[in-house]
Amino acid sequence: MRTIRLYMILQWVLFLPILLPLCMVFGALRGAVLMAERVIDQMSIDISYKSTDTSVQPEA
């Protein structure tokens, strides 16, 4: 039979209201930063001009 550790239940009950919002906030911030990096990378790829067409002459 499993024994129930009341001390661990008490710790979870006390610290979960603190940990859960912190995890949500930091997860959202991390997601926003990663998405911003992806958007900036895609923007730099889209903006940079690399022509594979040799018939187009760049202006001097």
Side-chain angles (χ1 to χ4, degrees), residues 31-52:
V33 168
L34 289 176
M35 186 55 68
E37 288 176 359
R38 287 179 60 187
V39 168
I40 290 170
D41 288 342
Q42 187 63 45
M43 192 173 19
S44 67
I45 290 169
D46 291 343
I47 291 174
S48 65
Y49 178 74
K50 191 179 276 190
S51 177
T52 58

Side-chain angles (χ1 to χ4, degrees), residues 1-58:
M1 185 171 157
R2 299 183 104 177
T3 60
I4 297 174
R5 297 189 301 189
L6 293 175
Y7 183 68
M8 290 303 292
I9 293 174
L10 180 64
Q11 282 184 340
W12 276 108
V13 168
L14 286 176
F15 291 116
L16 189 62
I18 298 168
L19 292 174
L20 190 60
L22 281 175
C23 291
M24 291 171 63
V25 167
F26 283 111
L29 289 174
R30 183 173 182 250
V33 168
L34 289 176
M35 186 55 68
E37 288 176 359
R38 287 179 60 187
V39 168
I40 290 170
D41 288 342
Q42 187 63 45
M43 192 173 19
S44 67
I45 290 169
D46 291 343
I47 291 174
S48 65
Y49 178 74
K50 191 179 276 190
S51 177
T52 58
D53 187 11
T54 57
S55 65
V56 177
Q57 298 292 329

